[in-house]
Amino acid sequence: MPSGTHPVREANFDSIVGPTHNYAGLSPGNVASASNQGEISRPREAALQGLAKMRSLAELGLVQGWLPPHERPDLDLLRAEGFGGDDSALLAAAAANAPHLLARASSSSFMWAANAATVAPAVDTDDHRVHMVVANLQTMPHRRIEPPTTERILRRVFPDQSRVQVHAAIRGDGLTDEGAANHTRLASGDDSGIHFFVYGVGEDASQGPQRFVARQTLAASRAVADLLQVPESRRVFAQQNPAAIDAGVFHNDVIAVGNLNVLLYHESAFLNQESVLAELDRRLDGALIPIPVTASEVSLDEAVRSYLFNSQLVTLPDGSMCLICPSECPETPAVADLLDRLVSRSDNPIEHVKVFDLRQSMRNGGGPACLRLRIPLDEPGLNSVHPPCLYSPDRYDRLVQWVERWYPDETTDSDLADPQRLQSVRDALDALTSILEMPGLYAFQR
Ligand code: SUG
């Protein structure tokens, strides 16, 4: 059977949280990031929370992988801004004169792998290869530094270009792209799927949000769809409701989540909601199972605070669906009620809810779905993945021990300039490249 005609299984690749995870308030429009600015972070706990989610999903019978962290602080960013001297002098000068630049250079924001790339499986593309387009992340300055490293990592994890083509981030005026967080693949069964791209602003900027920036443009979504080699007939574009962006919904995955033919969404998710849903249903030959959540059930504010829609919606081996929620969901009464109703109803395949403590990431606006990149793979595609980046109990244990050995318990602003921390991060990453069998991954190793 040629590649692209095997059934696909969704693999989730989560990024490992980095040792410099901190709260710097770098993302205007992201309510959690803004409100936790300056809080003390707990990098070890953050990384262990992420790893625990990965293990649980693997134990549920799902395909789980991990992506290595990027090197931080990014000293090249500081050098490009004019700081010089050896590494210690560089850190000290940046801390004294431009703490905001040091914060940008130190962010662990690459951990939200849903913003790493947009992916189309082999079964959907013109040339029957998986295509991935690295997100350019141009809107937030601290995230602009991610794409080259993301590209390098994805090429190492998916080295077989005859199966998986990794495309560099798109460039150009007005092309701002935040990856899979604004893209959903929907499908009925094993058939090829349709690709639902949600953008924040189109050609007419006056139709976009007024308070916060729209992170995804229509032009960018179109350019990504072209590179993915998804046929026109399988593309649907919709605009996010600008009022939702202005209420803190900075990505579509904060207000809607889909899996196979199910779409769970808030009634304020999209502009022209009815026609968007009708179009999705038509493209799925009438198989769409829409699950609207009204504002009277869960307000926009409760949706943003609980991150209900940032749950992962996954299909378990028995065919039932499970929502992987953050602990803020059952702690929000309206959301807890909604979840109870959802699993007890027979009009949808969601039968289970599993709750995870991801508070360290959540405080920066990153829930379960933000932490992972969905990569639907057929069997030959799965066999082509760099094996140490796929979950195994043994390597999981080694990663946990590695985090416990190297990650600081706490981080405050002043720690970001500590040269001993820098050395410890490099030692940690050096050790990680042995565990993941990726020699020379980081610039300091080359
Ligand atoms: O881009 N937060 C990230 C959160 C990304 C969430 N991803 C998805 N929704 N898929 C962002 O706003 C905060 C960093 C800080 O403030 O320190 C941050 O970058």
Side-chain angles (χ1 to χ4, degrees), residues 224-273:
V224 168
D226 286 346
L227 283 174
L228 289 176
Q229 296 202 25
V230 171
E232 290 278 356
S233 60
R234 304 194 166 278
R235 308 175 184 180
V236 178
F237 298 90
Q239 184 172 349
Q240 233 187 312
N241 180 348
I245 298 180
D246 283 337
V249 181
F250 56 97
H251 289 136
N252 178 59
D253 70 1
V254 176
I255 194 87
V257 56
N259 179 45
L260 293 178
N261 58 339
V262 175
L263 185 67
L264 175 69
Y265 62 97
H266 192 271
E267 67 172 351
S268 7
F270 315 113
L271 276 187
N272 308 317
Q273 189 122 274

Side-chain angles (χ1 to χ4, degrees), residues 22-27 30 33 109 112 114-115 142-143 181 215 250-251 253-254 310 364-365 370:
N22 74 101
Y23 300 119
L26 298 173
S27 286
N30 168 341
S33 154
S109 54
W112 298 297
N115 306 121
H142 67 294
R143 305 213 60 178
R215 299 207 199 179
F250 56 97
H251 289 136
D253 70 1
V254 176
N310 201 259
N364 256 337
C370 299

Side-chain angles (χ1 to χ4, degrees), residues 29-258:
N30 168 341
V31 176
S33 154
S35 56
N36 291 305
Q37 174 172 17
E39 294 285 316
I40 296 172
S41 65
R42 301 183 66 79
R44 184 183 307 152
E45 194 173 295
L48 293 176
Q49 287 174 346
L51 282 166
K53 173 170 85 83
M54 298 182 219
R55 180 184 57 187
S56 297
L57 266 73
E59 288 177 351
L60 285 171
L62 304 174
V63 183
Q64 181 69 52
W66 35 58
L67 302 172
H70 297 199
E71 183 188 346
R72 295 286 181 274
D74 181 337
L75 299 186
D76 287 345
L77 179 151
L78 300 178
R79 292 210 166 86
E81 294 286 342
F83 293 96
D86 65 16
D87 294 348
S88 302
L90 190 67
L91 288 174
N97 302 309
H100 65 289
L101 291 180
L102 182 59
R104 274 184 207 167
S106 305
S107 176
S108 174
S109 54
F110 54 79
M111 69 203 242
W112 298 297
N115 306 121
T118 310
V119 181
V123 69
D124 296 351
T125 65
D126 286 337
D127 69 355
H128 304 300
R129 289 188 295 165
V130 176
H131 287 269
M132 297 183 189
V133 180
V134 172
N136 69 22
L137 294 169
Q138 287 302 295
T139 315
M140 299 287 141
H142 67 294
R143 305 213 60 178
R144 259 177 229 158
I145 56 178
E146 295 173 34
T149 306
T150 300
E151 185 183 336
R152 196 164 60 241
I153 289 173
L154 290 176
R155 287 184 193 282
R156 297 281 293 256
V157 180
F158 302 94
D160 181 352
Q161 288 194 40
S162 73
R163 306 243 172 243
V164 179
Q165 183 167 11
V166 177
H167 299 263
I170 57 171
R171 289 163 180 235
D173 282 349
L175 300 181
T176 63
D177 166 36
E178 304 245 332
N182 294 319
H183 165 263
T184 309
R185 174 181 187 263
L186 297 166
S188 34
D190 287 337
D191 296 345
S192 36
I194 61 166
H195 291 254
F196 182 36
F197 295 88
V198 181
Y199 58 92
V201 68
E203 275 119 33
D204 181 358
S206 71
Q207 301 282 309
Q210 302 302 309
R211 188 168 168 224
F212 295 126
V213 67
R215 299 207 199 179
Q216 183 88 31
T217 60
L218 171 59
S221 294
R222 287 207 171 113
V224 168
D226 286 346
L227 283 174
L228 289 176
Q229 296 202 25
V230 171
E232 290 278 356
S233 60
R234 304 194 166 278
R235 308 175 184 180
V236 178
F237 298 90
Q239 184 172 349
Q240 233 187 312
N241 180 348
I245 298 180
D246 283 337
V249 181
F250 56 97
H251 289 136
N252 178 59
D253 70 1
V254 176
I255 194 87
V257 56

Side-chain angles (χ1 to χ4, degrees), residues 271-290:
L271 276 187
N272 308 317
Q273 189 122 274
E274 268 180 38
S275 60
V276 170
L277 292 161
E279 183 63 9
L280 292 173
D281 190 45
R282 191 177 70 76
R283 302 285 182 107
L284 285 175
D285 298 325
L288 182 72
I289 302 180

